[in-house]
Amino acid sequence: MTERRNGLTYADAGVDIDAGNALVERIKPVARRTDRPGVMAGLGGFGALFDLRAAGFQDPILVAATDGVGTKLRVAIESGRLGTVGIDLVAMCVNDLVCQGAAPLFFLDYFATGKLEVAEAAAVIAGIGEGCALAGAALVGGETAEMPGMYADGDFDLAGFAVGAMERGQGLPRDVAAGDVLIGLASSGVHSNGYSLVRRVVAQSGLGWDAPSPFGPGTLGEALLAPTRIYVRPLLDAIAAGGVHGLAHITGGGLTENTPRMLPDGLGAEIDLGAWDLPPVFRWLRTEAGIAPAEMLKTFNCGVGLVLAVAPDRAGDIAALLAAAGETVTTIGRIVPGAGVRFSGDL
């Protein structure tokens, strides 16, 4: 007679429910710090409730956005610096929402890994909480998925989901016209796009993530993990002030492909590349790998993380408002008849 084996458990299969519960307890204070009017319940339910009327909306239109961090996560994992990629995750979603004219309301995250390490996951989610606080969005929930066999040891992936709202008829872009002034807001670095090329350049350079940065203070890993700038609060103020006709978040596709997304048929953009200085990180990437200007412009933000199309008679006031809010503001061009983007000057 064959002796029966002891029954297998979920933990034996590589999934630790207790670790997941411990993570939820660790992140509850993070979520509480992002609370805002409209939130109706804390973490732990099967869904999150939000009261639009309590948030101050009368006739709201909801706007949703989802995104990830891309292969910037590889830099974070390999350098062991996980505290800022959560900010990137939020930024990539909420900066898109505000380009539609919407104020972010709440955010949910998805964290997937092969084996849940509570301390590491908590560091990532703390960054998500910081990003939500910067954007004025409540962290209302999320999902932690432990999936043995799906990810290599130490690897994880992130996705984010943001919902915002605006009053009916207030969406962007609207009223974009030839002659509108293009105002650029400085980026904080590479943000969260183009990292497959960045990593290829770093590999070609022979530098490690802990090597001194060749273009600034700290290590190379630290410099390349500078989090994506969150532009939400000053942009909402600028929209409320009047005269903002369109916004473009400069993500994958760079200035070349993102600027036209706010333009109606029959209009294009002229951008003067000499209007701002190419930041050191981009100069290093260009020089180290011999990247052509056209490739730089359609891969990276090249120092301009967001572009506004503004009525000419409001451009000075909007620029002053954004500068007073701490943004680095540059007039970079104008809207013209045509299509696409025409560049002048040198990058």
Side-chain angles (χ1 to χ4, degrees), residues 21-313:
N21 292 336
L23 178 61
V24 171
E25 292 305 312
R26 287 277 292 271
I27 65 178
K28 281 183 177 179
V30 175
R32 282 196 293 269
R33 287 195 293 272
T34 68
D35 197 23
R36 58 155 295 159
V39 175
M40 296 178 64
L43 300 180
F46 288 100
L49 306 179
F50 194 92
D51 184 344
L52 285 166
R53 184 174 297 174
F57 290 91
Q58 302 302 313
D59 187 13
I61 300 294
L62 293 179
V63 183
T66 183
D67 212 331
V69 183
T71 61
K72 189 173 186 177
L73 287 181
R74 189 82 258 146
V75 182
I77 291 167
E78 292 178 3
S79 65
R81 300 179 182 278
L82 306 180
T84 58
V85 288
I87 299 174
D88 289 299
L89 184 67
V90 175
M92 294 301 290
C93 296
V94 297
N95 285 342
D96 281 358
L97 286 184
V98 77
C99 286
Q100 298 291 141
L105 301 176
F106 56 86
F107 189 87
L108 300 98
D109 68 276
Y110 176 76
F111 180 101
T113 186
K115 178 175 173 52
L116 181 60
E117 300 291 345
V118 173
E120 292 180 356
V124 172
I125 296 171
I128 293 172
E130 183 176 350
C132 286
L134 290 170
L139 179 57
V140 295
E143 171 69 6
T144 302
E146 190 174 23
M147 298 186 288
M150 288 291 292
Y151 296 89
D153 289 348
D155 282 357
F156 64 90
D157 199 8
L158 293 175
F161 310 87
V163 174
M166 59 192 176
E167 295 293 352
R168 190 179 303 273
Q170 298 303 303
L172 295 176
R174 65 177 185 272
D175 302 326
V176 177
D180 280 359
V181 175
L182 293 177
I183 295 174
L185 302 185
S187 67
S188 53
V190 184
H191 283 184
S192 297
N193 298 100
Y195 273 83
S196 294
L197 180 54
V198 169
R199 290 167 47 241
R200 182 73 174 268
V201 174
V202 171
Q204 180 175 301
S205 75
L207 295 173
W209 302 122
D210 289 333
S213 169
F215 50 82
T219 67
L220 179 59
E222 287 172 333
L224 290 173
L225 287 169
T228 305
R229 189 164 182 82
I230 293 177
Y231 301 100
V232 168
R233 293 181 188 271
L235 286 178
L236 290 175
D237 289 342
I239 293 168
V244 176
H245 292 164
L247 300 172
H249 186 200
I250 309 305
T251 55
L255 287 160
T256 305
E257 296 185 6
N258 285 288
T259 307
R261 294 171 68 180
M262 65 174 168
L263 303 179
D265 291 343
L267 292 180
E270 285 186 348
I271 293 179
D272 177 10
L273 299 177
W276 73 97
D277 292 329
L278 189 67
V281 59
F282 298 108
R283 294 203 299 268
W284 179 76
L285 289 167
R286 180 182 63 181
T287 302
E288 185 66 33
I291 304 172
E295 186 69 19
M296 292 289 295
L297 287 164
K298 73 175 184 179
T299 304
F300 302 119
N301 65 62
C302 294
V304 177
L306 197 133
V307 177
L308 302 85
V310 179
D313 62 346

